[in-house]
Amino acid sequence: MRPGPGWLTRPLPARVRPLPAGVRLLPARAGVTAGYVVAFIATTLSVRTLPTPARTAWLEWTSTNLVNLRDHPLPALVLSGLFTEGSLTGWLLTALIGLGVTNRALGNWRTATLIVCAHVGGTLISQGIVAYRIAHGQVPAGDRFMIDVGPSYVVACALAAGALYGRGLQRLPALAGFALFAVDAFAGLSTFEVAAVGHLCSVVIAGVAGWPLWRSARSRTDRGAALPVAPPDAARV
């Protein structure tokens, strides 16, 4: 027997249990983290399913080397930071820690701004040094075609920013992650190795650009805390 029209118009229960506060605030406090992690996993797994010739072509096209930065800079800059040829688990864990702590402290748009600046800045500065060294005969001209992909500039920036600007004890996992990351991240800096230079630039950007962003986030939080609290509603039926 079909329900009558009254079933369609029956009012909902007066009291509906709301979602937990942590779930409701998740998009605001971890939107960038979730978005980046999902894109990183999806892109990495997709690339690993490609046959070897296609994977090689993908690496060559997405690498942020001098040739690609002149030919198709935007796709190379975006895609190169969304997958890894290394350990998916290791990079995923460090990204979650760094981005999670930073996202919680700065909010979404500030975190996105910071990691984009680090990824782009680290790439342009490190590759600019390569261009200079090629022009002066210090490295072979073939370095214009080097393979340069991975999330390490994003992760370096996020871990450093989380260690510097994270909230209270939340800084500790970011600091520990950065300490582990730094063991090998700056090897080759004395010889201007590309990855080491990019990591250093990302950390500097995290500290310099992260400061005004953190001040902005803190000021917004203070203003919100200063707003008067609305009186409780009258007794509900």
Side-chain angles (χ1 to χ4, degrees):
M1 181 177 179
R2 295 183 180 180
W7 179 83
L8 296 175
T9 58
R10 183 181 301 167
L12 293 174
R15 291 182 178 273
V16 178
R17 180 175 296 179
L19 292 172
V23 175
R24 287 186 282 111
L25 294 175
L26 186 62
R29 294 180 175 178
V32 170
T33 304
Y36 180 82
V37 165
V38 169
F40 177 68
I41 294 173
T43 307
T44 299
L45 294 180
S46 298
V47 170
R48 292 185 179 186
T49 63
L50 295 173
T52 301
R55 186 188 301 181
T56 301
W58 173 266
L59 286 173
E60 292 174 350
W61 193 77
T62 57
S63 290
T64 48
N65 54 40
L66 293 174
V67 173
N68 289 343
L69 288 174
R70 174 174 294 181
D71 182 67
H72 50 275
L74 186 58
L77 284 166
V78 172
L79 295 173
S80 64
L82 292 179
F83 71 99
T84 179
E85 284 286 282
S87 168
L88 175 59
T89 302
W91 283 115
L92 181 59
L93 181 60
T94 52
L96 277 171
I97 293 173
L99 286 173
V101 175
T102 301
N103 205 164
R104 180 72 173 79
L106 302 184
N108 284 324
W109 73 264
R110 296 176 185 84
T111 300
T113 299
L114 188 61
I115 62 174
V116 168
C117 288
H119 182 62
V120 174
T123 297
L124 296 182
I125 294 172
S126 61
Q127 290 296 330
I129 292 174
V130 173
Y132 175 88
R133 300 185 75 195
I134 290 175
H136 289 78
Q138 299 175 7
V139 294
D143 281 5
R144 295 183 297 119
F145 300 92
M146 68 171 60
I147 301 297
D148 184 19
V149 298
S152 61
Y153 297 169
V154 171
V155 170
C157 173
L159 288 173
L164 289 170
Y165 306 117
R167 297 187 176 186
L169 294 179
Q170 293 177 12
R171 295 182 181 184
L172 295 180
L175 183 60
F178 182 79
L180 292 174
F181 175 83
V183 171
D184 299 316
F186 305 107
L189 192 57
S190 61
T191 57
F192 299 102
E193 194 269 332
V194 169
V197 172
H199 294 153
L200 178 61
C201 293
S202 297
V203 171
V204 172
I205 289 171
V208 174
W211 171 254
L213 293 173
W214 175 74
R215 293 284 296 176
S216 170
R218 185 175 178 181
S219 175
R220 184 175 184 274
T221 301
D222 292 343
R223 288 197 304 269
L227 293 176
V229 178
D233 295 340
R236 298 179 181 177
V237 179

